[in-house]
Amino acid sequence: MREYDHKAIEKKWQDEWTKHQIYKTPKTDRPKQYILDMFPYPSGSGLHVGHVEGYTATDIYSRFKRMQGYAVLHPMGWDAFGLPAENYAIKTGTPPQTSTDAAIVNFRKQIQALGLSYDWDREVGAHNPDYYRWTQWFFLFLFKNGLAEKRMARVNWCPKDQTVLANEQTVSEDGVKGVCVRCGTPVEQKELSQWFFKITEFADDLVKDLDTVDWPESTKINQRNWIGRKEGVVVPHVVSGTDLTLHTFSAYPAWLFADTFIVIAPEHPLVPALVQGTEAESAVMSFVAAAQKKTTEERGDSKEKLGIFTGRYAEDPFRKGEKMPIWIANFALMDFGTGVIRCSSHDARDYEFAQKYEIPLRHVVGDGSFVDAHDNAGVLIDSGPFTGRTISPELIVEMIDWMVSHGIAERKVTYRLRDWLISRQRYWGAPIPVVYDPSGVPHPVPEEHLPWMLPTDVEYQPKGSAPLGTSQELIERTERIFGPGWKPEIDTMDTFVCSSWYFFRFADAKNSNAFASPEAIAAWVPVDLYVGGAEHTVLHLMYARFFTKALKRFGYVSFDEPFLKLRHQGTILAEDGTKMSKSKGNVINPDDVVELYGADTVRMYEMFMGPLEAMKPWNTKGIIGPRRFLERVWRLTDKVGDGALGAAEAVFNQTIKKVGDDIQTFGLNTAISQLMICLNAFEELPVVPRAAFETYLKLLAPFAPHLTEELWHELGHTTSIHLESWPTYDDTKLMADTVVIAVQVAGKTRGTVSVSHGASQEQVLAVAERDLKLAQYLPQTPSRVIFVPNKILNLVP
RNA sequence: GCCGGAGUGGCGUAAUGGUAGCCGCGCACGACUCAAAAUCGUGUCCCGCAAGGGGUAAGAGUUCGAGUCUCUUCUCCGGCACCA
């Protein structure tokens, strides 16, 4: 018999599919599905098995949806700007353009070898000028609408990579904080003028609209935590003997009567004025200087509370006539709230600080032992008009109303989310389309000069300023267009900017008049299904949502959220259960496995390993299972002929139902399991009816596109199986004629009986009573009988 | 510390509150073979010859019936964390 030669078959059909363009995106004259993978960074080391997992899942889903009759958009592209290519250039002198293009060629080849059904006509690369001209357009769009601005900022600076990092990029992949995400070097603080996108303007919507999308709950929670929305009050305090006012923020207004002192962040702008001319001035200012020098890492590392008394007192609006000492404290963060905090005995951190520096405390709940304000529970004492009241959500509202009406406080919402710093002192990114006039004022580069080309005459070696500064061409271009004395912006954009809008581009990838036409956007976006790694739960998704909301605000799109349904693929671990890493040498290269077993086997194996979202270890021995399965399907052709399904009819119909249901809900492992069960049943038959086998091939087609296409053609078909319709099942034939029912006594299974499908309680009981083994357990006069048709009969004595 | 998620055979895993362990890997035995591989068949949670009993991290609860629901505890994973 002929051999299952995966190499020949897979190559043959991949070529055929390309030739006949069977995965070309159709017109949207019928319901559409936009099914998207997070586009990869084309790294030099190629595709890894984690990519294969996510891409196979969306491929199966796309093929399924096409067979169901949907117009499917399923594209692929390259998140091609980024540091690795630039670091490689620094090391070897190879231009990033060259190494990136080579990596893309390799990625594309690997992806095509897997039989993934992308529409390559819509391929995009973030590093191509016809792409980044629109990235630059987005910058101008935000700038013109007041959502981008340049300002001085204390920024995270990586001394090794010589670049600014966003807060999010100061955590290593292993979770170490205060280090460069790329190289692990401890991050320093630097004051620089930088471009920001005002994502904080959308903070409320970014929280609220999470309720409208079908995303993993944990991802939504991560987003909410990152935004860190907190409702509370701001209380102004007059500083005695000055004309200064300090504003504190509190998210626990019920406890404000407890506060006895105030702390202020070392970098707070009012600190110098606060201590100016006082005895404490020099001591305080040197404390502040010492605190500022510390890197984020050092600050985070030691949680030791350090502080110094300013010599000043604030008047307590909650207790007329009482004064609260004002301290500088290292735990007060300028980045949160107002940078000034009212402190009390009901906060573990404040309490520790007060003990250390012998600051007097009082309590408003309990008998003096520690009660945490975060619990928001207890009966208030010594709390003005609220003494004796029990803390409750209603009381908190009442207290806030009282504070507001007495002019003590104002309502305030704060966020942890910061504006998005997008300036990067790097080469391999989209140039920021800004020029400076001779007096240093920034001007947007007019749209007719886009793409504002990334120059190639640059020095890659980092010298502490941006590489674009070394480009003669860029400087000359700027002066030629704008006039003598004009200077180019030499920073490039954070690569997350490129990936914040690429899903729009796929809808209209070749448009040279707009990032995508309104018609194309209306036809395809938002994305119906988005699949990618869980490592992007915060940054990329947040930024893409921000871009979408900005477009919505200014009338470019009509929807609020870009990704309606999101799923993550879990990490695939090495065989020993640890993370795959080059340094440990335990990385599985998909090419090797595809070579040995074939793409269909690798696809099926990765889907069969377990639930898509689960973290699971690779098991080289386990691959043989799906391979054997495909070989058995291959051999089954010999048994195809004229015959009846007989005993396999119920399993066959169940399989049609379950495979469809499971693909829809991403239970791809159980869908494959069901296909195996069905095959086992087919193998019991003397002859497999041709129609049933063809249906079976259609069910298997999304998983193993090459093998099913080959067998489909062997059966005499001349068109692709992937253009067939998804099979339907016979509702009336889902159950076998005979069912096995568990017979229980008081919930304990005592045996089983075989009865015809749909048998009544009386019929089942009659059969059970005739069963000698069972009869001995059955109670004569059951007090209760529970009967679930086709499942159980339970007699309670 | 806070917020999520998860604990089931030797392994990956499966079970609308209804016979726990489907499907696959591995292993054992058998068939085929001079032999091996491949393939096919049988078996494979634990104790027990069997009848039977026990069993889904531990303990309690709800229920005729709990891997599944509730509470307590333990462990592991992910995220956030001096956040006012």
Side-chain angles (χ1 to χ4, degrees):
Chain A
M1 95 159 260
R2 78 241 187 279
E3 205 128 316
Y4 172 35
D5 178 357
H6 65 258
K7 280 188 208 171
I9 291 170
E10 291 179 355
K11 176 78 174 63
K12 171 172 124 195
W13 289 114
Q14 283 160 16
D15 292 347
E16 282 290 305
W17 296 333
T18 305
K19 201 171 120 196
H20 294 104
Q21 298 203 331
I22 71 163
Y23 306 125
K24 197 173 164 57
T25 310
K27 289 203 167 62
T28 52
D29 47 5
R30 52 203 154 114
K32 66 95 183 178
Q33 284 281 310
Y34 183 0
I35 300 161
L36 182 65
D37 294 291
M38 290 183 185
F39 71 162
Y41 175 76
S43 81
S45 45
L47 212 63
H48 57 72
V49 291
H51 289 123
V52 176
E53 185 187 19
Y55 300 166
T56 303
T58 53
D59 189 62
I60 290 167
Y61 194 79
S62 298
R63 291 173 181 278
F64 172 63
K65 286 291 159 191
R66 286 190 199 104
M67 291 175 84
Q68 283 189 324
Y70 288 91
V72 169
L73 171 56
H74 187 45
M76 179 46 76
W78 318 107
D79 190 10
F81 275 136
L83 267 179
E86 185 166 352
N87 288 341
Y88 186 71
I90 291 165
K91 211 158 67 178
T92 66
T94 310
Q97 180 78 48
T98 308
S99 61
T100 301
D101 285 342
I104 288 174
V105 167
N106 184 41
F107 258 69
R108 199 189 292 116
K109 200 185 83 209
Q110 289 183 295
I111 286 175
Q112 284 170 342
L114 286 162
L116 299 170
S117 62
Y118 296 115
D119 177 0
W120 291 100
D121 286 351
R122 292 174 186 246
E123 178 181 0
V124 302
H127 66 312
N128 292 329
D130 62 2
Y131 182 93
Y132 71 67
R133 84 159 270 181
W134 298 109
T135 305
Q136 292 169 332
W137 179 91
F138 271 92
F139 178 95
L140 298 178
F141 158 72
L142 294 172
F143 179 79
K144 285 170 192 161
N145 290 301
L147 290 171
E149 71 176 22
K150 198 174 197 199
R151 56 180 186 244
M152 290 301 284
R154 238 172 96 95
V155 297
N156 304 300
W157 175 261
C158 173
K160 178 158 176 292
D161 286 344
Q162 295 277 312
T163 187
V164 165
L165 299 165
N167 285 337
E168 305 82 76
Q169 293 165 338
T170 63
V171 183
S172 77
E173 278 170 27
D174 320 325
V176 182
K177 292 180 188 70
V179 301
C180 173
V181 67
R182 302 283 187 189
C183 64
T185 310
V187 169
E188 295 173 358
Q189 301 293 304
K190 223 175 166 177
E191 194 85 14
L192 283 176
S193 183
Q194 301 281 301
W195 286 98
F196 286 86
F197 286 166
K198 295 190 195 169
I199 189 171
T200 53
E201 283 204 15
F202 296 86
D204 263 331
D205 287 342
L206 287 168
V207 173
K208 190 166 53 67
D209 292 341
L210 284 172
D211 295 336
T212 68
V213 291
D214 175 12
W215 287 19
E217 204 48 43
S218 60
T219 302
K220 291 189 184 183
I221 288 166
N222 283 344
Q223 294 245 322
R224 286 193 196 101
N225 288 345
W226 189 260
I227 296 164
R229 183 180 196 277
K230 274 208 172 142
E231 291 183 14
V233 292
V234 166
V235 182
H237 299 78
V238 173
V239 181
S240 307
T242 71
D243 51 7
L244 299 172
T245 303
L246 291 181
H247 292 87
T248 64
F249 174 77
S250 174
Y252 298 88
W255 305 75
L256 285 167
F257 283 94
D259 299 327
T260 51
F261 64 105
I262 281 177
V263 301
I264 180 165
E267 62 269 46
H268 195 286
L270 285 181
V271 168
L274 200 60
V275 293
Q276 194 177 24
T278 68
E279 279 177 29
E281 181 172 8
S282 66
V284 166
M285 291 320 287
S286 60
F287 177 90
V288 168
Q292 292 219 7
K293 230 170 53 192
K294 289 210 170 179
T295 65
T296 320
E297 183 196 35
E298 286 164 329
R299 276 188 143 197
D301 248 13
S302 110
K303 296 217 169 166
E304 193 193 351
K305 311 274 175 293
L306 293 174
I308 185 167
F309 181 46
T310 60
R312 294 288 189 185
Y313 291 86
E315 314 209 350
D316 185 356
F318 287 85
R319 295 174 189 274
K320 293 280 180 261
E322 292 201 25
K323 291 188 190 301
M324 310 171 83
I326 301 170
W327 287 68
I328 312 279
N330 64 342
F331 65 81
L333 306 172
M334 199 54 225
D335 265 0
F336 188 84
T338 59
V340 192
I341 320 168
R342 282 173 66 94
C343 295
S344 81
S345 65
H346 293 294
D347 180 288
R349 181 202 54 205
D350 299 351
Y351 183 79
E352 185 191 332
F353 187 79
Q355 292 290 308
K356 178 169 176 180
Y357 292 106
E358 297 177 342
I359 303 167
L361 292 170
R362 76 166 74 84
H363 56 273
V364 293
V365 169
D367 55 10
S369 60
F370 181 75
V371 176
D372 197 330
H374 295 89
D375 297 337
N376 258 335
V379 179
L380 289 172
I381 55 175
D382 194 9
S383 294
F386 301 99
T387 301
R389 304 284 299 276
T390 301
I391 297 174
S392 67
E394 296 74 31
L395 181 73
I396 292 170
V397 171
E398 195 183 326
M399 290 179 79
I400 293 172
D401 287 343
W402 177 84
M403 291 171 210
V404 171
S405 64
H406 284 72
I408 293 174
E410 280 176 22
R411 285 188 183 79
K412 164 91 175 168
V413 178
T414 64
Y415 303 90
R416 203 185 83 99
L417 183 72
R418 303 287 98 195
D419 277 340
W420 176 15
L421 171 73
I422 60 122
S423 299
R424 295 290 181 274
Q425 290 66 49
R426 301 301 314 202
Y427 170 69
W428 193 230
I432 295 175
V434 164
V435 287
Y436 298 88
D437 65 26
S439 54
V441 177
H443 298 266
V445 172
E447 259 188 66
E448 63 261 31
H449 296 300
L450 300 189
W452 189 242
M453 292 292 287
L454 182 66
T456 50
D457 60 331
V458 295
E459 175 60 58
Y460 303 122
Q461 298 299 329
K463 292 200 294 279
S465 67
L468 294 197
T470 66
S471 167
Q472 268 316 114
E473 188 274 318
L474 181 63
I475 291 162
E476 283 165 13
R477 185 204 313 168
T478 304
E479 292 210 324
R480 187 178 71 245
I481 295 172
F482 299 96
W486 286 64
K487 289 195 171 63
E489 168 67 61
I490 56 170
D491 287 350
T492 53
M493 285 187 248
D494 182 2
T495 56
F496 276 110
V497 178
C498 310
S499 56
S500 293
W501 70 277
Y502 77 107
F503 49 94
F504 285 111
R505 189 63 177 167
F506 281 134
D508 199 7
K510 300 209 168 87
N511 193 327
S512 52
N513 300 313
F515 66 93
S517 74
E519 298 74 34
I521 293 170
W524 291 111
V525 199
V527 174
D528 295 285
L529 173 70
Y530 197 28
V531 173
E535 67 274 17
H536 295 112
T537 55
V538 174
L539 302 180
H540 160 62
L541 293 169
M542 188 80 74
Y543 296 150
R545 298 178 63 219
F546 158 57
F547 266 47
T548 303
K549 287 176 190 308
L551 287 174
K552 168 85 188 294
R553 178 182 289 183
F554 295 101
Y556 286 85
V557 302
S558 59
F559 46 87
D560 293 294
E561 287 290 329
F563 313 123
L564 300 181
K565 179 169 172 170
L566 172 73
R567 294 293 180 267
H568 300 299
Q569 85 264 19
T571 314
I572 296 182
L573 303 169
E575 303 229 19
D576 58 2
T578 63
K579 278 201 172 148
M580 285 191 194
S581 77
K582 253 193 245 171
S583 55
K584 274 188 277 179
N586 57 3
V587 176
I588 302 288
N589 182 348
D591 290 356
D592 301 340
V593 203
V594 169
E595 168 81 12
L596 201 55
Y597 296 99
D600 284 342
T601 298
V602 174
R603 291 166 61 107
M604 293 208 70
Y605 170 66
E606 290 212 19
M607 296 302 99
F608 188 59
M609 286 171 82
L612 181 69
E613 67 283 1
M615 190 184 273
K616 41 209 179 280
W618 185 267
N619 180 358
T620 298
K621 275 188 175 164
I623 302 170
I624 196 68
R627 168 72 196 199
R628 280 180 193 150
F629 165 73
L630 292 178
E631 287 173 359
R632 283 163 56 203
V633 174
W634 183 261
R635 288 198 299 268
L636 196 66
T637 347
D638 297 344
K639 278 172 94 174
V640 170
D642 289 333
L645 268 172
E649 186 167 48
V651 171
F652 175 65
N653 279 285
Q654 284 160 19
T655 301
I656 300 171
K657 175 166 166 41
K658 186 164 171 61
V659 172
D661 291 352
D662 281 355
I663 294 176
Q664 185 60 49
T665 57
F666 280 91
L668 301 175
N669 53 329
T670 50
I672 292 172
S673 174
Q674 184 65 38
L675 286 164
M676 290 172 170
I677 291 169
C678 190
L679 176 67
N680 291 344
F682 279 170
E683 285 179 337
E684 299 288 317
L685 299 174
V687 175
V688 179
R690 184 188 163 97
F693 186 65
E694 290 193 348
T695 297
Y696 185 80
L697 288 180
K698 290 183 201 172
L699 299 179
L700 181 58
F703 298 86
H706 310 88
L707 174 126
T708 50
E709 185 80 303
E710 176 72 14
L711 295 182
W712 182 251
H713 281 76
E714 260 187 35
L715 288 168
H717 295 279
T718 52
T719 54
S720 173
I721 190 171
H722 304 298
L723 302 174
E724 293 293 311
S725 292
W726 189 252
T728 53
Y729 54 91
D730 186 340
D731 234 343
T732 64
K733 290 180 177 152
L734 287 171
M735 281 283 208
D737 294 342
T738 311
V739 293
V740 178
I741 289 189
V743 178
Q744 303 180 332
V745 177
K748 186 167 180 56
T749 303
R750 286 298 177 182
T752 58
V753 292
S754 252
V755 296
S756 57
H757 174 240
S760 70
Q761 177 177 320
E762 289 70 30
Q763 289 169 321
V764 174
L765 187 58
V767 175
E769 278 166 348
R770 258 181 274 129
D771 185 306
L772 289 181
K773 228 177 93 187
L774 264 174
Q776 59 176 316
Y777 295 105
L778 300 180
Q780 293 303 314
T781 50
S783 65
R784 206 176 150 191
V785 179
I786 292 110
F787 178 67
V788 182
N790 303 319
K791 290 264 185 194
I792 58 149
L793 174 69
N794 184 10
L795 305 176
V796 185

